[in-house]
Amino acid sequence: MAKKVRRKPDEAEEEEAFEFPVFDEAGFAAKEFELTTAVAIGAGIAVVLGALAWLATAAGLPWYLPFGLGFLVVIFSPYLLGRLRRGSSAYTKGDWAGVLALEFFGFLALWFLLVNLT
């Protein structure tokens, strides 16, 4: 099989080099600060839910009542965050997943910790 002849590209035929798009530092920093605030609010919700669940458990209520309450609050917390933060419309699905996971597992961890300490 014959080899193809390699041609030297003319200057007019050369492809233009790839250029990265301009990075919006201000927009990136604003979104990260917004997400930091959302995570802080989520952590606060988790602490409140964990303490309430521990109080309910210490009062002798069955375990599924504080768990159900905590689960419902975690499910409806995006609506609360949407009301508290105007910038929450810029969150992606991954951002919401991170905040919800922090709330749910933080709530469970604090509840279990407080129940085991007492």
Side-chain angles (χ1 to χ4, degrees), residues 60-90:
L61 294 175
W63 65 268
Y64 52 84
L65 290 177
F67 180 77
L69 174 69
F71 190 72
L72 285 175
V73 170
V74 168
I75 287 175
F76 289 110
S77 67
Y79 300 109
L80 176 66
L81 282 173
R83 297 281 185 190
L84 292 176
R85 306 295 304 165
R86 283 186 284 148
S88 66
S89 61

Side-chain angles (χ1 to χ4, degrees), residues 47-62:
V47 167
V48 169
L49 284 176
L52 289 176
W54 172 70
L55 287 173
T57 303
L61 294 175

